[in-house]
DNA sequence: CGACGGATCTTGACAGTGACAAGATTGCAC
DNA sequence: GTGCAATCTTGTCACTGTCAAGATCCGTCG
C-alpha cells in the first residue's frame, strides 16, 4: 500500500521555512483531492472489493481530515456512483472504437481486465445512485455503443434476431470477464492470453469466418 | 422492514413442548437460531445485496441479542461463507441431475434466479473464507458436476477442445445469469421467460440440434 | 436423582465507520 | 482590498463488528 507521495515527514527537517508557524506542512487546500481520492478508491476496490472501501481510510491516505471526501462525493454511494459513471464513459469510448461485434467483445474483456475496479462497481446497482444524471448519461452512451456494435453484424450471421445476438455476445463477454476477475478461470486459461481464449469463444458463438 | 418474528416451532427437537416455560417472552435458547439467521440473511441479500447485511440486524430480526449470531457463524465472513457453501452444494445437486451441457446451462440460470442470494455470494471471494473446509468441498462438488456436464457433450459438437466448450458454456450462462440479476437484461428479455431466451442463446453457441 | 460440563445466549465494552453540523481557511471575482 | 463561495477541519452521533465475561439451559454420566 503505497502511501500518497506528498506530506512527507512532519518535523524531520529542523531548518525549514521559518515563517510557517509550527505545523501545517500541507496546505489547507489539497489541490486535487477529488482525483486523489478516486485513484485511491480504485486501488482499494481493485484488490479488496468495494466492501472494503472506507471514506475515512481514503481521507487518511490523501492526508486530509475524515470529512473532506464528503464535499466532493457527498456520500460513499456518491463516490461509487462517480466511479461507475467514469467506467461507463470509458467503456463507451472503448466500444465505439471497435468495428464488429467480435472485436467489441474482445474490447469488453480487455476493459474489465484493465479497469477491474470500474468494472466491478458498474454492475452493482445496489451500491449506486442509479438516478444520478452523470451516471445515466454515461450508461446510455455505453449502451448505444454496444447496440451499434450489435447492429454491425451482417444479417446472415446473426440468426433470427439481432437483439438475441447482442444478448448472447454480451452474456458471453460479461460472463467471461466476471469469471476471470473472480479467478474462476485461472485453471482453464492457464498461461494463455485471456484475450486469445475469449476470441476462440467468440468464434464458437459466431461460427463464420470474417472479421 | 418486516419483523419476521415467526419463531416457527422447530420440529427438530422431539420432546420439547411439554415443559416449555410460559412466563418468559422468549426462551433463552432460540431453538433454531442458525437456520433463522440464514433465512433472514438470504432475504436481505436477495434484495439489498451482501453489503447491506448487518449481523446485529439479523439478531434483532431473530429476537436474540446482538452477539448471538457469532456463536453460530463466528464472523460476518463466516456467515457469508456458510451461505456460499450451501449455494455450491445446491448448485452441485442441480447440475448433477442434468444431462447434456445445454440443460446444465439452463439449470445454472434457473439456480441463479431461484437462489439469487446464494448465487451472488458464491462469486464474491473477497467476502468469503476461501480456505474453509465445508466451502472448499462444496465447491469441488459443484466443479465436478460442471465438468461432467461438459464431458457429456458429443465430441463432434464441441470444436477442438472440451475445456474450451466448458468455458464458453459457463461464461454464457454465468454472464446471462449475472446480467439478469442486475436487471441489465430487463429490456432485452421483456415478457419472455428468461429460460427460453437462454435456451436460444445455448443453441447459438452449440449449433447442432440434439438434446 | 443430581451435579457438572459444554453448548447456547446475554451483557458490556471498544474501536472503527458514515453522516451531519458548524466553524476555520482559502482563493477568486468584483 | 472585500466579500463570498468553495474547500477543508473539528466535533459529534448512531451504528456496526468483534471480543470478553457472565448467565442460562441441556444432555449426560456419576
Amino acid at each position: 500500500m503505497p502511501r500518497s507521495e506528498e506530506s512527507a515527514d512532519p518535523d524531520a527537517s529542523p531548518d525549514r521555512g521559518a515563517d510557517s508557524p509550527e505545523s501545517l506542512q500541507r496546505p489547507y487546500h489539497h489541490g486535487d483531492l477529488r482525483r486523489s481520492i478516486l485513484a485511491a478508491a480504485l486501488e482499494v476496490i481493485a484488490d479488496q472489493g468495494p466492501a472494503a472501501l472506507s471514506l475515512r481510510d481514503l481521507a487518511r491516505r490523501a492526508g486530509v481530515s475524515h470529512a473532506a471526501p464528503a464535499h466532493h462525493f457527498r456520500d460513499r454511494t456518491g463516490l461509487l456512483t462517480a466511479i461507475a459513471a467514469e467506467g461507463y464513459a470509458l467503456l463507451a469510448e472503448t466500444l465505439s472504437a471497435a468495428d464488429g461485434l467480435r472485436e467489441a467483445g474482445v474490447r469488453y474483456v480487455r476493459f474489465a481486465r484493465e479497469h477491474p475496479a470500474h468494472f466491478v462497481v458498474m454492475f452493482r446497482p445496489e451500491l449506486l445512485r442509479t438516478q444520478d444524471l452523470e451516471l445515466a448519461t454515461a450508461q446510455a452512451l455505453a449502451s448505444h455503443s454496444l447496440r451499434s456494435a450489435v447492429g454491425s453484424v451482417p444479417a446472415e450471421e446473426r440468426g433470427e434476431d439481432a437483439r438475441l445476438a447482442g444478448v448472447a455476445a454480451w452474456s458471453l463477454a460479461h460472463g467471461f470477464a466476471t469469471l476471470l476477475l473472480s479467478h474462476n478461470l485461472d485453471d482453464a486459461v492457464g498461461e494463455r492470453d485471456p484475450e486469445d481464449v475469449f476470441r476462440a469463444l467468440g468464434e464458437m458463438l459466431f461460427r463464420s469466418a470474417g472479421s
Side-chain angles (χ1 to χ4, degrees), chain A:
Chain A
M1 284 303 124
R3 291 284 314 222
S4 154
E5 65 292 352
E6 36 66 61
S7 119
D9 32 23
D11 34 16
S13 64
D15 48 357
R16 182 98 64 103
D19 56 6
S20 174
E22 58 229 17
S23 53
L24 284 188
Q25 276 75 14
R26 57 174 155 75
Y28 197 94
H29 283 38
H30 178 283
D32 207 357
L33 184 56
R34 185 186 159 95
R35 206 172 254 315
S36 243
I37 289 182
L38 274 176
L42 291 175
E43 203 176 309
V44 171
I45 296 174
D47 59 51
Q48 313 209 48
L53 200 68
S54 151
L55 290 183
R56 287 175 113 104
D57 178 50
L58 297 178
R60 249 166 287 161
R61 294 183 186 222
V64 297
S65 82
H66 67 259
H71 195 270
H72 293 272
F73 300 103
R74 170 190 168 90
D75 256 342
R76 216 183 93 104
T77 302
L79 170 57
L80 293 171
T81 300
I83 291 175
E86 194 176 272
Y88 276 110
L90 281 171
L91 179 62
E93 191 184 4
T94 292
L95 290 187
S96 71
D99 64 316
L101 188 50
R102 248 187 240 77
E103 194 54 27
V106 172
R107 280 168 177 271
Y108 191 94
V109 171
R110 187 183 308 153
F111 171 82
R113 292 183 60 211
E114 287 178 350
H115 305 281
H118 287 100
F119 185 79
V120 156
V121 170
M122 285 161 65
F123 296 96
R124 294 252 215 294
E126 77 274 11
L127 301 179
L128 308 177
R129 201 153 2 238
T130 48
Q131 73 276 25
D132 177 271
L133 183 64
E134 195 190 344
L135 175 61
T137 64
Q139 228 162 356
L141 213 67
S143 174
H144 174 74
S145 293
L146 206 156
R147 234 184 293 275
S148 83
V150 173
S152 70
V153 172
E156 63 265 38
E157 284 198 34
R158 65 186 198 227
E160 63 206 32
D161 190 357
R163 174 181 280 183
L164 206 64
V167 172
W170 193 10
S171 294
L172 191 70
H174 190 78
F176 186 77
T178 299
L179 291 174
L180 210 58
L181 289 187
S182 55
H183 295 281
N184 280 104
L185 297 181
D186 287 357
D187 291 355
V189 169
E191 296 298 319
R192 288 171 287 183
D193 181 356
E195 281 186 28
D196 291 340
V197 175
F198 180 75
R199 249 179 253 272
L201 301 192
E203 285 174 16
M204 289 189 66
L205 187 59
F206 302 112
R207 199 79 62 159
S208 76
S211 72

